[in-house]
Amino acid sequence: MIDLKKGCLRGNMKIRITKSQLRLVIFWSLVILVAPFALETVMLAELAGAEFAIGFLLLYLKQSMLALRDKVARLKRYLGSIAEILANHLAFSERQFLSHAGFSLAAIALGSPIFFTAVIWYPVLVTGTYT
């Protein structure tokens, strides 16, 4: 063991991080994580500090979240209008739908085992003829 008072290093020395240092580490980590997507936050962090850049980023994300909500609301209205158009279509009447669904399920039940068997065994048959 080496004593610090004499200018030497001790083996059981611990690093203490204060709350302000921890906050700065967290803020700079967030700035670095966001840097590829919003380069202006890095420049703002250089000029005004990491805390100010994080505040700017939160305001920036608020506007982005409002725009995202608007796009989601428009998508819901669009999908609702599509569902309304499809609900009025003849193919979705109960009588037509049940007959088509029944025949489709029968075709899948009969056809898919044959298809999967062909997909699995065809390469084996092809390679077996060349050996």
Side-chain angles (χ1 to χ4, degrees):
M1 302 288 170
I2 303 170
D3 193 13
L4 283 176
K5 291 181 182 179
K6 295 180 182 176
C8 301
L9 202 56
R10 291 180 70 173
N12 60 359
M13 194 167 83
K14 294 182 182 178
I15 298 174
R16 304 242 187 245
I17 297 176
T18 63
K19 287 183 181 181
S20 62
Q21 289 173 335
L22 181 62
R23 187 180 66 202
L24 278 176
V25 166
I26 290 172
F27 284 160
W28 278 107
S29 299
L30 287 173
V31 168
I32 290 170
L33 285 174
V34 174
F37 309 108
L39 190 60
E40 61 271 8
T41 56
V42 176
M43 292 183 284
L44 192 61
E46 267 307 307
L47 295 174
E51 295 90 354
F52 187 75
I54 295 299
F56 170 75
L57 182 65
L58 291 175
L59 287 175
Y60 180 76
L61 289 177
K62 181 180 178 184
Q63 293 299 322
S64 299
M65 290 300 292
L66 290 175
L68 181 66
R69 281 187 194 164
D70 183 46
K71 287 184 181 184
V72 168
R74 281 190 285 151
L75 178 67
K76 283 182 181 179
R77 285 193 305 269
Y78 181 70
L79 291 176
S81 65
I82 290 175
E84 185 178 341
I85 291 169
L86 289 177
N88 295 329
H89 196 273
L90 180 64
F92 287 98
S93 68
E94 188 175 337
R95 185 175 176 191
Q96 294 286 331
F97 181 75
L98 291 177
S99 63
H100 283 284
F103 284 122
S104 297
L105 286 175
I108 290 172
L110 294 174
S112 62
I114 296 168
F115 174 74
F116 287 129
T117 303
V119 167
I120 292 171
W121 288 107
Y122 186 70
V124 175
L125 292 173
V126 168
T127 56
T129 58
Y130 295 113
T131 57

